[in-house]
PDB file of all heavy atoms in Angstrom:
ATOM      1  N   GLY A 272      25.848  19.165  16.609  1.00 91.00           N
ATOM      2  CA  GLY A 272      26.526  18.353  15.613  1.00 91.00           C
ATOM      3  C   GLY A 272      26.103  16.917  15.473  1.00 91.00           C
ATOM      4  O   GLY A 272      26.844  16.097  14.944  1.00 91.00           O
ATOM      5  N   LYS A 273      24.890  16.594  15.938  1.00 92.00           N
ATOM      6  CA  LYS A 273      24.403  15.211  15.843  1.00 92.00           C
ATOM      7  C   LYS A 273      24.327  14.769  14.404  1.00 92.00           C
ATOM      8  O   LYS A 273      24.834  13.701  14.068  1.00 92.00           O
ATOM      9  CB  LYS A 273      23.064  15.080  16.539  1.00 92.00           C
ATOM     10  CG  LYS A 273      23.023  15.404  18.021  1.00 92.00           C
ATOM     11  CD  LYS A 273      21.601  15.339  18.591  1.00 92.00           C
ATOM     12  CE  LYS A 273      20.664  16.339  17.991  1.00 92.00           C
ATOM     13  NZ  LYS A 273      20.966  17.760  18.304  1.00 92.00           N
ATOM     14  N   THR A 274      23.681  15.500  13.561  1.00 91.00           N
ATOM     15  CA  THR A 274      23.490  15.138  12.183  1.00 91.00           C
ATOM     16  C   THR A 274      24.832  15.034  11.462  1.00 91.00           C
ATOM     17  O   THR A 274      25.092  14.103  10.708  1.00 91.00           O
ATOM     18  CB  THR A 274      22.574  16.166  11.468  1.00 91.00           C
ATOM     19  OG1 THR A 274      21.296  16.144  12.112  1.00 91.00           O
ATOM     20  CG2 THR A 274      22.407  15.820   9.982  1.00 91.00           C
ATOM     21  N   THR A 275      25.703  16.020  11.707  1.00 92.00           N
ATOM     22  CA  THR A 275      27.034  16.004  11.097  1.00 92.00           C
ATOM     23  C   THR A 275      27.816  14.776  11.516  1.00 92.00           C
ATOM     24  O   THR A 275      28.435  14.098  10.698  1.00 92.00           O
ATOM     25  CB  THR A 275      27.789  17.296  11.476  1.00 92.00           C
ATOM     26  OG1 THR A 275      27.039  18.434  11.039  1.00 92.00           O
ATOM     27  CG2 THR A 275      29.173  17.329  10.819  1.00 92.00           C
ATOM     28  N   LEU A 276      27.790  14.449  12.817  1.00 94.00           N
ATOM     29  CA  LEU A 276      28.494  13.288  13.312  1.00 94.00           C
ATOM     30  C   LEU A 276      27.986  12.014  12.641  1.00 94.00           C
ATOM     31  O   LEU A 276      28.757  11.186  12.142  1.00 94.00           O
ATOM     32  CB  LEU A 276      28.326  13.174  14.856  1.00 94.00           C
ATOM     33  CG  LEU A 276      28.803  11.855  15.455  1.00 94.00           C
ATOM     34  CD1 LEU A 276      30.323  11.741  15.386  1.00 94.00           C
ATOM     35  CD2 LEU A 276      28.312  11.735  16.881  1.00 94.00           C
ATOM     36  N   VAL A 277      26.688  11.818  12.653  1.00 93.00           N
ATOM     37  CA  VAL A 277      26.149  10.579  12.145  1.00 93.00           C
ATOM     38  C   VAL A 277      26.307  10.471  10.628  1.00 93.00           C
ATOM     39  O   VAL A 277      26.623   9.386  10.136  1.00 93.00           O
ATOM     40  CB  VAL A 277      24.654  10.421  12.579  1.00 93.00           C
ATOM     41  CG1 VAL A 277      24.059   9.160  11.944  1.00 93.00           C
ATOM     42  CG2 VAL A 277      24.571  10.336  14.096  1.00 93.00           C
ATOM     43  N   SER A 278      26.111  11.561   9.900  1.00 92.00           N
ATOM     44  CA  SER A 278      26.285  11.461   8.422  1.00 92.00           C
ATOM     45  C   SER A 278      27.738  11.183   8.087  1.00 92.00           C
ATOM     46  O   SER A 278      28.012  10.416   7.152  1.00 92.00           O
ATOM     47  CB  SER A 278      25.755  12.717   7.698  1.00 92.00           C
ATOM     48  OG  SER A 278      26.463  13.856   8.131  1.00 92.00           O
ATOM     49  N   ASP A 279      28.687  11.729   8.840  1.00 92.00           N
ATOM     50  CA  ASP A 279      30.111  11.416   8.650  1.00 92.00           C
ATOM     51  C   ASP A 279      30.365   9.937   8.954  1.00 92.00           C
ATOM     52  O   ASP A 279      31.041   9.224   8.236  1.00 92.00           O
ATOM     53  CB  ASP A 279      31.001  12.326   9.504  1.00 92.00           C
ATOM     54  CG  ASP A 279      32.458  12.012   9.299  1.00 92.00           C
ATOM     55  OD1 ASP A 279      32.915  11.939   8.151  1.00 92.00           O
ATOM     56  OD2 ASP A 279      33.165  11.861  10.331  1.00 92.00           O
ATOM     57  N   TRP A 280      29.822   9.463  10.093  1.00 92.00           N
ATOM     58  CA  TRP A 280      30.026   8.047  10.474  1.00 92.00           C
ATOM     59  C   TRP A 280      29.422   7.116   9.436  1.00 92.00           C
ATOM     60  O   TRP A 280      30.040   6.115   9.091  1.00 92.00           O
ATOM     61  CB  TRP A 280      29.387   7.811  11.868  1.00 92.00           C
ATOM     62  CG  TRP A 280      29.467   6.388  12.295  1.00 92.00           C
ATOM     63  CD1 TRP A 280      30.597   5.739  12.734  1.00 92.00           C
ATOM     64  CD2 TRP A 280      28.443   5.416  12.225  1.00 92.00           C
ATOM     65  NE1 TRP A 280      30.290   4.426  13.013  1.00 92.00           N
ATOM     66  CE2 TRP A 280      28.982   4.202  12.693  1.00 92.00           C
ATOM     67  CE3 TRP A 280      27.106   5.470  11.821  1.00 92.00           C
ATOM     68  CZ2 TRP A 280      28.241   3.048  12.765  1.00 92.00           C
ATOM     69  CZ3 TRP A 280      26.362   4.307  11.911  1.00 92.00           C
ATOM     70  CH2 TRP A 280      26.934   3.100  12.386  1.00 92.00           C
ATOM     71  N   ILE A 281      28.250   7.440   8.945  1.00 92.00           N
ATOM     72  CA  ILE A 281      27.650   6.586   7.902  1.00 92.00           C
ATOM     73  C   ILE A 281      28.524   6.553   6.660  1.00 92.00           C
ATOM     74  O   ILE A 281      28.765   5.512   6.063  1.00 92.00           O
ATOM     75  CB  ILE A 281      26.193   7.095   7.556  1.00 92.00           C
ATOM     76  CG1 ILE A 281      25.265   6.772   8.728  1.00 92.00           C
ATOM     77  CG2 ILE A 281      25.687   6.472   6.258  1.00 92.00           C
ATOM     78  CD1 ILE A 281      23.891   7.411   8.603  1.00 92.00           C
ATOM     79  N   ASP A 282      29.030   7.745   6.287  1.00 90.00           N
ATOM     80  CA  ASP A 282      29.898   7.811   5.102  1.00 90.00           C
ATOM     81  C   ASP A 282      31.144   6.908   5.308  1.00 90.00           C
ATOM     82  O   ASP A 282      31.494   6.136   4.408  1.00 90.00           O
ATOM     83  CB  ASP A 282      30.334   9.259   4.842  1.00 90.00           C
ATOM     84  CG  ASP A 282      31.195   9.414   3.668  1.00 90.00           C
ATOM     85  OD1 ASP A 282      30.692   9.153   2.528  1.00 90.00           O
ATOM     86  OD2 ASP A 282      32.391   9.773   3.800  1.00 90.00           O
ATOM     87  N   GLN A 283      31.785   7.014   6.456  1.00 89.00           N
ATOM     88  CA  GLN A 283      32.957   6.201   6.727  1.00 89.00           C
ATOM     89  C   GLN A 283      32.594   4.701   6.764  1.00 89.00           C
ATOM     90  O   GLN A 283      33.297   3.856   6.230  1.00 89.00           O
ATOM     91  CB  GLN A 283      33.571   6.574   8.102  1.00 89.00           C
ATOM     92  CG  GLN A 283      34.231   7.918   8.131  1.00 89.00           C
ATOM     93  CD  GLN A 283      34.725   8.247   9.526  1.00 89.00           C
ATOM     94  OE1 GLN A 283      35.117   7.345  10.276  1.00 89.00           O
ATOM     95  NE2 GLN A 283      34.720   9.520   9.901  1.00 89.00           N
ATOM     96  N   ASN A 284      31.483   4.393   7.443  1.00 88.00           N
ATOM     97  CA  ASN A 284      31.070   2.999   7.644  1.00 88.00           C
ATOM     98  C   ASN A 284      30.689   2.326   6.342  1.00 88.00           C
ATOM     99  O   ASN A 284      31.004   1.167   6.146  1.00 88.00           O
ATOM    100  CB  ASN A 284      29.964   2.956   8.669  1.00 88.00           C
ATOM    101  CG  ASN A 284      29.826   1.596   9.276  1.00 88.00           C
ATOM    102  OD1 ASN A 284      30.792   0.927   9.557  1.00 88.00           O
ATOM    103  ND2 ASN A 284      28.617   1.196   9.539  1.00 88.00           N
ATOM    104  N   THR A 285      30.004   3.022   5.470  1.00 88.00           N
ATOM    105  CA  THR A 285      29.576   2.398   4.238  1.00 88.00           C
ATOM    106  C   THR A 285      30.731   2.233   3.277  1.00 88.00           C
ATOM    107  O   THR A 285      30.688   1.368   2.388  1.00 88.00           O
ATOM    108  CB  THR A 285      28.421   3.164   3.551  1.00 88.00           C
ATOM    109  OG1 THR A 285      28.765   4.547   3.411  1.00 88.00           O
ATOM    110  CG2 THR A 285      27.146   3.077   4.383  1.00 88.00           C
ATOM    111  N   ARG A 286      31.779   3.019   3.445  1.00 89.00           N
ATOM    112  CA  ARG A 286      32.966   2.789   2.627  1.00 89.00           C
ATOM    113  C   ARG A 286      33.732   1.569   3.140  1.00 89.00           C
ATOM    114  O   ARG A 286      34.286   0.809   2.365  1.00 89.00           O
ATOM    115  CB  ARG A 286      33.920   4.016   2.623  1.00 89.00           C
ATOM    116  CG  ARG A 286      33.467   5.057   1.606  1.00 89.00           C
ATOM    117  CD  ARG A 286      34.450   6.136   1.380  1.00 89.00           C
ATOM    118  NE  ARG A 286      34.093   7.247   2.320  1.00 89.00           N
ATOM    119  CZ  ARG A 286      34.980   7.830   3.111  1.00 89.00           C
ATOM    120  NH1 ARG A 286      36.243   7.469   3.130  1.00 89.00           N
ATOM    121  NH2 ARG A 286      34.591   8.821   3.904  1.00 89.00           N
ATOM    122  N   ARG A 287      33.758   1.366   4.462  1.00 86.00           N
ATOM    123  CA  ARG A 287      34.378   0.193   5.065  1.00 86.00           C
ATOM    124  C   ARG A 287      33.597  -1.085   4.820  1.00 86.00           C
ATOM    125  O   ARG A 287      34.182  -2.172   4.642  1.00 86.00           O
ATOM    126  CB  ARG A 287      34.542   0.379   6.586  1.00 86.00           C
ATOM    127  CG  ARG A 287      35.708   1.228   7.004  1.00 86.00           C
ATOM    128  CD  ARG A 287      35.945   1.261   8.506  1.00 86.00           C
ATOM    129  NE  ARG A 287      35.128   0.332   9.291  1.00 86.00           N
ATOM    130  CZ  ARG A 287      34.609   0.615  10.487  1.00 86.00           C
ATOM    131  NH1 ARG A 287      34.836   1.785  11.029  1.00 86.00           N
ATOM    132  NH2 ARG A 287      33.903  -0.269  11.117  1.00 86.00           N
ATOM    133  N   ARG A 288      32.290  -0.965   4.883  1.00 86.00           N
ATOM    134  CA  ARG A 288      31.412  -2.110   4.741  1.00 86.00           C
ATOM    135  C   ARG A 288      30.298  -1.759   3.715  1.00 86.00           C
ATOM    136  O   ARG A 288      29.210  -1.361   4.096  1.00 86.00           O
ATOM    137  CB  ARG A 288      30.740  -2.431   6.071  1.00 86.00           C
ATOM    138  CG  ARG A 288      31.679  -2.805   7.166  1.00 86.00           C
ATOM    139  CD  ARG A 288      30.893  -3.000   8.448  1.00 86.00           C
ATOM    140  NE  ARG A 288      31.719  -3.335   9.561  1.00 86.00           N
ATOM    141  CZ  ARG A 288      32.013  -2.519  10.560  1.00 86.00           C
ATOM    142  NH1 ARG A 288      31.534  -1.262  10.552  1.00 86.00           N
ATOM    143  NH2 ARG A 288      32.797  -2.882  11.542  1.00 86.00           N
ATOM    144  N   PRO A 289      30.598  -1.935   2.446  1.00 89.00           N
ATOM    145  CA  PRO A 289      29.628  -1.498   1.394  1.00 89.00           C
ATOM    146  C   PRO A 289      28.285  -2.180   1.470  1.00 89.00           C
ATOM    147  O   PRO A 289      27.317  -1.633   0.942  1.00 89.00           O
ATOM    148  CB  PRO A 289      30.348  -1.886   0.082  1.00 89.00           C
ATOM    149  CG  PRO A 289      31.773  -2.062   0.433  1.00 89.00           C
ATOM    150  CD  PRO A 289      31.841  -2.476   1.882  1.00 89.00           C
ATOM    151  N   ASP A 290      28.167  -3.305   2.146  1.00 88.00           N
ATOM    152  CA  ASP A 290      26.853  -4.009   2.206  1.00 88.00           C
ATOM    153  C   ASP A 290      26.007  -3.512   3.373  1.00 88.00           C
ATOM    154  O   ASP A 290      24.898  -4.024   3.576  1.00 88.00           O
ATOM    155  CB  ASP A 290      27.084  -5.531   2.319  1.00 88.00           C
ATOM    156  CG  ASP A 290      27.872  -5.911   3.552  1.00 88.00           C
ATOM    157  OD1 ASP A 290      28.691  -5.100   4.004  1.00 88.00           O
ATOM    158  OD2 ASP A 290      27.676  -7.036   4.032  1.00 88.00           O
ATOM    159  N   THR A 291      26.500  -2.521   4.112  1.00 82.00           N
ATOM    160  CA  THR A 291      25.757  -1.991   5.257  1.00 82.00           C
ATOM    161  C   THR A 291      24.452  -1.297   4.759  1.00 82.00           C
ATOM    162  O   THR A 291      24.494  -0.544   3.797  1.00 82.00           O
ATOM    163  CB  THR A 291      26.604  -0.965   6.029  1.00 82.00           C
ATOM    164  OG1 THR A 291      27.753  -1.631   6.529  1.00 82.00           O
ATOM    165  CG2 THR A 291      25.833  -0.399   7.181  1.00 82.00           C
TER     166      THR A 291
END
Side-chain angles (χ1 to χ4, degrees):
K273 298 175 297 293
T274 299
T275 301
L276 169 69
V277 175
S278 62
D279 180 50
W280 176 76
I281 289 171
D282 182 66
Q283 290 177 32
N284 201 36
T285 53
R286 278 191 267 130
R287 279 187 7 218
R288 299 177 181 105
D290 60 332
T291 300

